[in-house]
């Protein structure tokens, strides 16, 4: 049997190679066949999940709720020091200096990243902005989102902070954050599906030990842009899912 590993489509393109390295490392350590499938967008990935094609997933917090409660996945780890924070950014020549300066009729650019869009709209509430008094344009990636802002096709956009920080320096210099979330409790998680439940403890031990001195997993972590993993138990996961449910109300 070959297991399938996939990654939330909001990961940084510069870490594509890192996920292939991680997949190879896991196969060697576990002695099982694992295929890495990277989907182009959230819709394609959710179709694969619905068809029970996914066994291991580095999931965003929005999808984690569905995976845990509807598909029986269990979280084993979360990336150290990588909360899912959201940056609301405008072109550097925008008159808006803070989110409160944004006005109804705002042209908003977003990706299909569900937790980022959810948190971003909550942040806009401080300017009395909602989906009813803004115009939303959906784009494929954060790089395209940045380009949309720089071309004057949108007034502001929602970025996953990690994705914003990964933009090239010349692009970042042409954008200005007007607000950044500070939730700190929402993050991606590494989840194990029912077909590989028997590997859960082995997987958890492996990934938690990747950052230990002398571990051959340290180079793999670096390729992923991570410093290590924190243990994630069911209580931690349920708390985050409940928080996401609260934010959606």
């Amino acid at each position: 049997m070959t297991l399938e590993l996939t990654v939330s489509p909001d990961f940084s393109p510069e870490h594509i190679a890192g996920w292939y390295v991680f997949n190879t490392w896991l196969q060697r350590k576990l002695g099982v066949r694992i295929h890495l499938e990277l989907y182009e967008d959230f819709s394609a990935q959710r179709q694969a999940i619905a068809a029970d094609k996914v066994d291991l997933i580095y999931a965003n917090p929005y999808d984690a709720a569905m995976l845990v409660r509807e598909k029986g996945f269990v979280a084993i780890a979360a990336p150290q020091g990588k909360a899912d924070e959201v940056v609301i950014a405008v072109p550097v020549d925008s008159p808006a200096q803070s989110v409160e300066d944004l006005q109804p009729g705002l042209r908003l650019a977003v990706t299909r990243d569900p937790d980022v869009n959810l948190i971003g709209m909550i942040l806009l509430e401080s300017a009395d902005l909602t989906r009813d008094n803004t115009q939303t344009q959906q784009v494929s990636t954060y790089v395209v989102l940045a380009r949309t802002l720089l071309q004057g096709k949108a007034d502001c956009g929602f970025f996953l902070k990690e994705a914003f920080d990964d933009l090239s320096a010349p692009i970042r210099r042409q954008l200005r954050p007007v607000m950044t979330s500070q939730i700190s409790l929402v993050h991606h998680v590494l989840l194990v599906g029912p077909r590989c439940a028997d590997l859960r403890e082995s997987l958890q031990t492996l990934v938690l030990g990747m950052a230990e001195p002398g571990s051959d997993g340290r180079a793999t972590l670096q390729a992923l842009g991570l410093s290590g993993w924190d243990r994630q138990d069911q209580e931690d996961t349920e708390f985050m899912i409940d928080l996401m449910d609260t934010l959606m109300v």
Side-chain angles (χ1 to χ4, degrees):
M1 180 178 68
T2 299
L3 303 176
E4 181 172 301
L5 165 67
T6 191
V7 182
S8 179
D10 55 9
F11 71 94
S12 173
E14 71 179 56
H15 296 139
I16 289 177
W19 285 106
Y20 280 98
V21 172
F22 178 67
N23 184 59
T24 300
W25 183 84
L26 275 184
Q27 290 185 87
R28 189 177 72 250
K29 291 292 186 179
L30 292 171
V32 298
R33 289 182 297 176
I34 305 173
H35 170 69
L36 174 64
E37 185 71 35
L38 300 178
Y39 294 94
E40 291 185 0
D41 54 39
F42 288 95
S43 177
Q45 187 179 78
R46 288 180 189 134
Q47 288 176 23
I49 292 169
D52 296 324
K53 293 181 179 179
V54 175
D55 300 295
L56 305 168
I57 181 171
Y58 182 62
N60 68 77
Y62 187 96
D63 286 340
M66 175 266 293
L67 286 157
V68 170
R69 291 183 173 170
E70 297 178 21
K71 289 294 183 178
F73 278 68
V74 177
I76 60 171
Q80 275 183 5
K82 277 192 177 288
D84 280 17
E85 302 296 357
V86 174
V87 171
I88 297 181
V90 298
V92 72
D93 58 358
S94 169
Q97 298 297 314
S98 68
V99 73
E100 287 78 12
D101 294 329
L102 300 174
Q103 299 296 316
L106 178 80
R107 296 175 302 157
L108 177 63
V110 303
T111 66
R112 294 181 182 274
D113 202 335
D115 57 317
V116 170
N117 295 342
L118 173 65
I119 295 170
M121 290 308 301
I122 291 171
L123 296 178
L124 285 185
E125 288 178 1
S126 61
D128 293 325
L129 296 176
T130 67
R131 297 192 186 280
D132 293 332
N133 60 8
T134 57
Q135 304 171 44
T136 301
Q137 175 184 173
Q138 199 166 69
V139 299
S140 56
T141 68
Y142 288 112
V143 172
V144 175
L145 195 158
R147 190 182 307 133
T148 300
L149 293 178
L150 298 183
Q151 291 173 343
K153 296 178 180 178
D155 303 313
C156 84
F158 297 158
F159 292 85
L160 182 67
K161 186 177 186 303
E162 180 180 358
F164 184 84
D165 293 342
D166 282 342
L167 293 172
S168 68
I171 290 179
R172 284 201 314 275
R173 283 196 292 268
Q174 297 178 74
L175 299 173
R176 182 174 65 250
V178 292
M179 179 175 278
T180 301
S181 68
Q182 296 180 338
I183 298 175
S184 78
L185 297 173
V186 177
H187 47 72
H188 282 51
V189 286
L190 186 61
L191 296 164
V192 178
R195 286 207 308 167
C196 53
D198 58 322
L199 295 175
R200 181 190 174 198
E201 290 187 12
S202 299
L203 273 165
Q204 188 171 57
T205 299
L206 273 177
V207 297
L208 294 180
M210 290 178 75
E212 292 178 358
S215 168
D216 63 355
R218 291 169 69 89
T220 301
L221 279 174
Q222 186 174 12
L224 292 173
L226 302 179
S227 59
W229 298 92
D230 289 326
R231 182 184 300 275
Q232 187 84 358
D233 59 30
Q234 196 65 15
E235 185 177 348
D236 298 326
T237 308
E238 290 292 344
F239 177 82
M240 186 179 72
I241 291 173
D242 288 343
L243 177 59
M244 292 300 296
D245 286 345
T246 301
L247 293 175
M248 285 188 282
V249 174

